[in-house]
Amino acid sequence: MAAGVVVAVPVVAVTSMLSDSVRGVVTVVDTADGQREVHWKDYPGVPELEPEQILANPSLEDGERVGRQMMREVEETLTAQLGFSWDLTPTPNGDDVAFPAQNYYGGTSMLSTLNVNSRQSTTVPRTWADKHARPRPHR
């Protein structure tokens, strides 16, 4: 009997959290016409970022371009200093790099999360001596 109660409490808590996120937070706002409901699940941003901060950031396309350039520079530096060769890491998302962000009110934001496909080295220094004989990358 006690084991059934211990299991039931987390299930009830999780079910409650899930139903809240599906329903979304609702705020009632007074207007000249009367009252209207505001469904925060439809909020287009995320609560941690002010709209001015979001608008000041680079576009998704610029962020992807800069991210890919940064990855190329890291790859070139490691190749020059450590002799690495590279291969594209397979990803389950194919060529997709932008994913919808959650707004933390139970809905999807109009913002996107950018996650450029990673690459991995196909070679590594094989011996302890090789690891010490080659220069370490600078930060």
Side-chain angles (χ1 to χ4, degrees):
M1 178 67 172
V5 171
V6 172
V7 171
V9 170
V11 169
V12 169
V14 169
T15 304
S16 173
M17 286 188 297
L18 289 175
S19 68
D20 283 346
S21 69
V22 169
R23 185 176 66 240
V25 179
V26 177
T27 304
V28 177
V29 178
D30 289 327
T31 65
D33 303 3
Q35 291 188 339
R36 65 184 173 101
E37 291 182 345
V38 176
H39 294 268
W40 285 97
K41 67 180 176 143
D42 297 328
Y43 182 67
V46 292
E48 296 86 24
L49 300 173
E50 293 297 324
E52 296 80 18
Q53 181 183 359
I54 292 169
L55 292 172
N57 285 335
S59 68
L60 182 66
E61 295 79 12
D62 287 344
E64 181 179 355
R65 183 184 48 74
V66 169
R68 288 185 187 279
Q69 177 61 33
M70 196 177 345
M71 288 178 64
R72 272 191 299 278
E73 290 171 8
V74 168
E75 183 178 316
E76 289 167 2
T77 300
L78 292 175
T79 298
Q81 292 185 4
L82 300 174
F84 285 176
S85 59
W86 300 89
D87 190 17
L88 186 64
T89 305
T91 62
N93 300 316
D95 292 333
D96 292 339
V97 295
F99 306 94
Q102 296 299 310
N103 68 3
Y104 303 108
Y105 294 116
T108 302
S109 167
M110 68 179 243
L111 303 174
S112 295
T113 300
L114 181 63
N115 189 9
V116 177
N117 296 340
S118 62
R119 292 175 55 92
Q120 64 185 17
S121 169
T122 59
T123 57
V124 295
R126 296 288 178 199
T127 67
W128 190 254
D130 287 343
K131 291 176 186 179
H132 286 285
R134 297 181 184 195
R136 298 180 75 76
H138 298 285
R139 288 189 197 211

